[in-house]
Amino acid sequence: MCIRDSDKASEQWVWRFGNRRFDLRNRVLIMGILNVTPDSFSDGGKYFAKDRALRRAEEMVNEGADIIDVGGESSRPGAQPGSVQEELRRVLPVIRAIKERLDIPVSIDTYKYEVAGEAIAAGAEIVNDITGLRHSARMKTLIAEHGVGVVIMHMQGTPQTMQVAPHYDDVVEEIGAFLEHQLSEAKQAGVEVSEDKARKLLEGGDKVKVTVWFRGREITHPDIGCKLLQRMTESLKEVATIDRQPS
């Protein structure tokens, strides 16, 4: 079979995991956040019960969500870690209910290897790790073995320490270097990573310039930007404008 160069270029914009295929050429994906916790900073306590969580998941799908991200432990500043057993008690019934009712990929928001494994068995297709795969060395192997999608997050310290005198010499360079390193570590552990595809997605393509304004300073990073998950907390109907300059 002959594959044209244009076909190869198109594939650089495709995110595959399991039997899912998301084409990112024309639009970004929307991840609906569903915290089944009593203390998360956005929706903590609202969807603690399984039936309410399922109704919220259905609402988000109707509002345009492409992925539902289920979390059972708060990562707000100052939040204390919980046990594996309590996290599983919170997330597994919700994941199972969503998979029974809705045809949508479910992401498990956890850094615990044990929780991720049970969530995948219950139907989760993506692991969203706030520690960027640093908490457990077995997490990378788990992701590789099951062929699920992965979201590598960045966090300085832990939820307990993240606001205790945080410091960066160059926030863009340091976070970029971290993501590059974790991407390489994941690949070495067997996670299927296409570096050309990842870099294309991270950079935003050859003709797209991603600019961030921070405290009046224009920050443009040419090498790495990462696929950004815009956390839509209350309504997925309102889409923020990315290309916005300070007044």
Side-chain angles (χ1 to χ4, degrees), residues 33-78:
I33 306 302
L34 185 61
N35 292 314
V36 288
T37 63
D39 58 343
S40 290
F41 64 89
S42 58
D43 59 356
K46 290 184 178 180
Y47 313 112
F48 201 38
K50 183 186 75 172
D51 291 344
R52 295 182 71 179
L54 179 57
R55 285 198 298 271
R56 181 58 184 144
E58 291 173 335
E59 288 175 356
M60 289 193 286
V61 170
N62 290 333
E63 291 169 347
D66 300 288
I67 300 166
I68 301 295
D69 185 59
V70 178
E73 179 178 295
S74 175
S75 58
R76 63 175 174 76

Side-chain angles (χ1 to χ4, degrees), residues 69-73 87 107-117 119 127-131 133 139:
D69 185 59
V70 178
E73 179 178 295
E87 194 171 341
S107 165
I108 176 65
D109 182 350
T110 189
Y111 57 87
K112 299 185 181 82
Y113 162 84
E114 300 88 348
V115 174
V127 174
N128 178 11
D129 185 344
I130 63 169
T131 72
L133 307 180
M139 186 71 91

Side-chain angles (χ1 to χ4, degrees), residues 73 80-87 90 111-112:
E73 179 178 295
Q80 296 300 311
S83 68
V84 168
Q85 292 74 20
E86 177 60 20
E87 194 171 341
R90 294 174 180 179
Y111 57 87
K112 299 185 181 82

